[in-house]
Coordinates of all heavy atoms in Angstrom, one line a residue:
Chain B
I91 N 31.2 66.4 -100.7 CA 30.4 65.2 -101.0 C 29.2 65.1 -100.1 O 29.3 65.6 -98.9 CB 31.4 63.9 -100.7 CG1 32.5 63.9 -101.8 CG2 30.6 62.7 -100.7 CD1 33.5 62.9 -101.5
R92 N 28.1 64.7 -100.6 CA 26.9 64.6 -99.9 C 26.3 63.2 -99.8 O 26.6 62.4 -100.6 CB 25.9 65.7 -100.3 CG 25.2 65.3 -101.7 CD 24.3 66.4 -102.1 NE 23.6 66.1 -103.4 CZ 22.8 66.9 -104.0 NH1 22.6 68.1 -103.5 NH2 22.3 66.6 -105.2
Q93 N 25.5 63.1 -98.7 CA 24.8 61.8 -98.5 C 23.4 62.0 -98.0 O 23.2 62.5 -97.0 CB 25.6 61.0 -97.5 CG 25.1 59.6 -97.3 CD 26.1 58.8 -96.4 OE1 26.7 59.3 -95.5 NE2 26.2 57.5 -96.7
A94 N 22.5 61.8 -98.9 CA 21.0 61.9 -98.6 C 20.7 60.8 -97.6 O 21.4 59.8 -97.5 CB 20.2 61.7 -99.8
P95 N 19.7 61.1 -96.7 CA 19.4 60.2 -95.6 C 19.2 58.8 -96.1 O 18.4 58.5 -97.0 CB 18.1 60.8 -95.0 CG 18.1 62.2 -95.4 CD 18.8 62.3 -96.7
G96 N 20.0 57.8 -95.5 CA 19.8 56.4 -95.8 C 20.3 56.0 -97.1 O 20.0 54.9 -97.6
T97 N 21.0 56.8 -97.8 CA 21.5 56.5 -99.2 C 23.0 56.6 -99.2 O 23.7 56.7 -98.2 CB 20.9 57.4 -100.2 OG1 21.5 58.7 -100.0 CG2 19.4 57.5 -100.1
G98 N 23.6 56.5 -100.4 CA 25.0 56.4 -100.6 C 25.6 57.8 -100.8 O 25.0 58.8 -100.6
L99 N 26.9 57.8 -101.2 CA 27.7 59.0 -101.3 C 27.6 59.6 -102.7 O 27.6 58.8 -103.7 CB 29.1 58.7 -101.0 CG 29.3 58.1 -99.5 CD1 30.7 57.5 -99.4 CD2 29.1 59.1 -98.5
E100 N 27.6 60.9 -102.8 CA 27.5 61.6 -104.1 C 28.5 62.7 -104.1 O 28.4 63.7 -103.3 CB 26.1 62.1 -104.4 CG 26.0 62.9 -105.7 CD 24.7 63.6 -105.9 OE1 24.0 63.8 -104.9 OE2 24.4 64.0 -107.0
W101 N 29.6 62.7 -105.0 CA 30.4 63.8 -105.1 C 29.7 64.9 -105.8 O 29.0 64.7 -106.7 CB 31.6 63.4 -106.0 CG 32.3 64.6 -106.5 CD1 33.2 65.4 -105.8 CD2 32.2 65.2 -107.8 NE1 33.6 66.5 -106.6 CE2 33.0 66.4 -107.8 CE3 31.5 64.9 -108.9 CZ2 33.1 67.2 -108.9 CZ3 31.6 65.7 -110.1 CH2 32.4 66.8 -110.0
I102 N 29.8 66.2 -105.2 CA 29.1 67.3 -105.9 C 30.0 68.4 -106.4 O 29.6 69.2 -107.3 CB 28.0 67.8 -105.0 CG1 28.6 68.4 -103.6 CG2 26.9 66.9 -104.8 CD1 27.6 69.1 -102.8
S103 N 31.2 68.6 -105.8 CA 32.0 69.7 -106.2 C 33.5 69.5 -105.8 O 33.8 68.9 -104.8 CB 31.5 71.1 -105.6 OG 32.3 72.1 -106.0
F104 N 34.3 70.0 -106.7 CA 35.8 69.9 -106.5 C 36.5 71.3 -106.8 O 36.0 72.0 -107.7 CB 36.4 68.9 -107.4 CG 37.9 68.9 -107.5 CD1 38.7 68.2 -106.7 CD2 38.5 69.7 -108.5 CE1 40.1 68.2 -106.9 CE2 39.9 69.8 -108.6 CZ 40.7 69.0 -107.8
I105 N 37.5 71.6 -106.0 CA 38.2 72.8 -106.2 C 39.7 72.5 -106.0 O 40.1 71.9 -105.0 CB 37.7 74.0 -105.3 CG1 38.5 75.3 -105.7 CG2 37.8 73.7 -103.9 CD1 37.9 76.5 -105.1
S106 N 40.5 72.9 -107.0 CA 41.9 72.7 -106.9 C 42.6 73.5 -105.8 O 42.0 74.4 -105.2 CB 42.6 73.0 -108.2 OG 42.6 74.3 -108.5
H107 N 43.8 73.2 -105.5 CA 44.5 73.8 -104.4 C 44.6 75.4 -104.6 O 44.5 76.1 -103.6 CB 45.9 73.3 -104.2 CG 46.8 73.7 -105.3 ND1 47.8 74.7 -105.3 CD2 47.0 73.1 -106.6 CE1 48.4 74.8 -106.4 NE2 48.0 73.8 -107.2
S108 N 44.7 75.8 -105.8 CA 44.8 77.3 -106.1 C 43.4 77.9 -106.3 O 43.3 79.1 -106.2 CB 45.6 77.4 -107.4 OG 44.9 76.9 -108.4
G109 N 42.4 77.1 -106.4 CA 41.1 77.6 -106.8 C 40.8 77.8 -108.2 O 39.7 78.3 -108.6
R110 N 41.8 77.5 -109.0 CA 41.7 77.8 -110.5 C 40.9 76.8 -111.2 O 40.4 77.1 -112.3 CB 43.0 78.1 -111.1 CG 43.7 79.4 -110.8 CD 44.8 79.8 -111.7 NE 46.0 79.0 -111.3 CZ 47.0 79.5 -110.6 NH1 46.9 80.7 -110.0 NH2 48.1 78.8 -110.3
T111 N 40.9 75.6 -110.7 CA 40.1 74.5 -111.4 C 39.0 74.1 -110.5 O 39.1 73.8 -109.3 CB 41.0 73.3 -111.6 OG1 42.1 73.7 -112.4 CG2 40.3 72.2 -112.3
I112 N 37.8 74.1 -111.1 CA 36.6 73.8 -110.3 C 35.7 72.9 -111.2 O 35.6 73.0 -112.4 CB 35.8 75.1 -110.0 CG1 36.5 75.9 -108.9 CG2 34.4 74.8 -109.6 CD1 35.9 77.2 -108.6
Y113 N 35.1 71.9 -110.5 CA 34.2 71.0 -111.2 C 32.9 70.9 -110.4 O 33.0 70.9 -109.1 CB 34.8 69.6 -111.4 CG 36.1 69.5 -112.2 CD1 37.2 69.1 -111.6 CD2 36.1 69.9 -113.5 CE1 38.4 69.0 -112.3 CE2 37.3 69.8 -114.2 CZ 38.4 69.4 -113.6 OH 39.6 69.3 -114.3
Y114 N 31.8 70.6 -111.1 CA 30.5 70.3 -110.4 C 29.8 69.1 -111.0 O 30.0 68.8 -112.2 CB 29.6 71.5 -110.5 CG 30.1 72.8 -109.9 CD1 30.6 73.8 -110.7 CD2 29.9 73.0 -108.6 CE1 31.1 75.0 -110.2 CE2 30.4 74.2 -108.0 CZ 30.9 75.2 -108.8 OH 31.4 76.4 -108.3
A115 N 29.1 68.4 -110.1 CA 28.3 67.3 -110.6 C 27.1 68.0 -111.3 O 26.7 69.1 -111.0 CB 27.7 66.5 -109.4

Side-chain angles (χ1 to χ4, degrees):
Chain B
I91 290 169
R92 71 183 180 184
Q93 186 170 34
T97 70
L99 302 167
E100 179 189 17
W101 163 75
I102 57 169
S103 184
F104 167 91
I105 184 167
S106 65
H107 68 99
S108 64
R110 283 196 283 265
T111 300
I112 287 173
Y113 302 118
Y114 298 101

